Amino acid sequence: ETGVTQSPTHLIKTRGQQVTLRCSSQSGHNTVSWYQQALGQGPQFIFQYYREEENGRGNFPPRFSGLQFPNYSSELNVNALELDDSALYLCASSGPGRRNTEAFFGQGTRLTVV
Amino acid sequence: AQSVTQPDIHITVSEGASLELRCNYSYGATPYLFWYVQSPGQGLQLLLKYFSGDTLVQGIKGFEAEFKRSQSSFNLRKPSVHWSDAAEYFCAVGPPGYSTLTFGKGTMLLVSP
């Protein structure tokens, strides 16, 4: 069984640009969550997708958006990048089912905004 | 709103000594509780979890944690620390049955020879 994979592993963007991060969920999982981990902080919940629909959102502005595809992979899009968006972005998958109990994390994408 | 407090930012333990990392949470009911470990530049690995039942839970790598409802705590313990345990440890809570998690700020464990 394959684990959660994220791409790219590292990314450097300029302030004001847009970025797309990708996540492939673990086999059999239909729920994907995204987290932002700033340096020296714990991960913060951005949003969750269940069967292609948003299933909860944390305290992040609308310029953070996402998608989930029929194969349950997911994208995180961030528009109008700000310096404070520099962080490790973690994807976690869980399931099957909307009510599930354990999240498996990918290795993350390190985003640097300059 | 739920929250997690890990009071210790850094802890240094001698190799072979015992370890206890503290975690306190705020939640309206009994949440699901988790401990994750993160090595530098890596994702999160689940050490153990508590959903219900026996309040002492065993995890991987020789770790255990005890849920104390009266203290709203879920402290992580290990009887003998190995140098490879040096990493950052995160306590997390989530609503029962759902995988959305609220994390603490983490405790960095340093292991001295």
Side-chain angles (χ1 to χ4, degrees):
Chain A
E1 131 182 318
T2 58
V4 179
T5 57
Q6 293 186 241
S7 63
T9 54
H10 296 84
L11 200 54
I12 300 175
K13 288 287 189 179
T14 302
R15 188 172 51 184
Q17 285 187 315
Q18 178 265 345
V19 68
T20 298
L21 310 182
R22 295 178 175 82
C23 171
S24 294
S25 60
Q26 185 164 312
S27 177
H29 288 181
N30 54 15
T31 301
V32 172
S33 305
W34 286 92
Y35 292 81
Q36 181 195 64
Q37 186 179 16
L39 200 60
Q41 301 294 315
Q44 284 197 296
F45 174 68
I46 303 175
F47 44 57
Q48 182 181 83
Y49 279 83
Y50 169 70
R51 298 181 70 176
E52 303 179 59
E53 293 190 0
E54 190 176 287
N55 185 42
R57 188 179 182 92
N59 189 26
F60 280 82
R63 59 188 186 84
F64 285 78
S65 63
L67 279 174
Q68 189 178 31
F69 299 99
N71 66 354
Y72 304 129
S73 66
S74 177
E75 287 183 353
L76 164 64
N77 299 289
V78 186
N79 294 321
L81 283 167
E82 301 177 359
L83 297 179
D84 286 348
D85 295 333
S86 295
L88 181 68
Y89 288 84
L90 295 164
C91 169
S93 75
S94 53
R98 183 188 297 269
R99 290 180 64 87
N100 45 65
T101 57
E102 183 174 334
F104 294 82
F105 284 82
Q107 297 301 298
T109 294
R110 172 73 62 187
L111 172 65
T112 303
V113 182
V114 297
Chain B
Q2 55 201 41
S3 65
V4 177
T5 301
Q6 293 181 247
D8 304 305
I9 298 174
H10 296 97
I11 281 187
T12 300
V13 175
S14 298
E15 190 168 16
S18 64
L19 168 71
E20 182 169 27
L21 302 182
R22 295 182 291 165
C23 172
N24 292 96
Y25 68 88
S26 174
Y27 192 78
T30 300
Y32 284 5
L33 295 159
F34 306 83
W35 275 99
Y36 284 87
V37 62
Q38 185 177 40
S39 297
Q42 300 297 307
L44 300 169
Q45 181 183 23
L46 180 68
L47 287 176
L48 48 76
K49 60 194 177 190
Y50 173 79
F51 295 155
S52 65
D54 191 345
T55 57
L56 185 64
V57 293
Q58 303 296 321
I60 62 171
K61 304 184 179 185
F63 286 93
E64 67 178 27
E66 185 172 13
F67 169 59
K68 293 186 177 180
R69 184 191 308 272
S70 61
Q71 299 176 19
S72 296
S73 69
F74 188 57
N75 293 347
L76 182 71
R77 301 193 294 248
K78 186 170 185 178
S80 177
V81 168
H82 187 263
W83 64 266
S84 61
D85 293 324
E88 190 152 26
Y89 292 79
F90 292 95
C91 181
V93 303
Y98 292 87
S99 55
T100 54
L101 301 173
T102 299
F103 286 85
K105 292 188 175 183
T107 297
M108 180 66 72
L109 173 64
L110 305 173
V111 180
S112 61

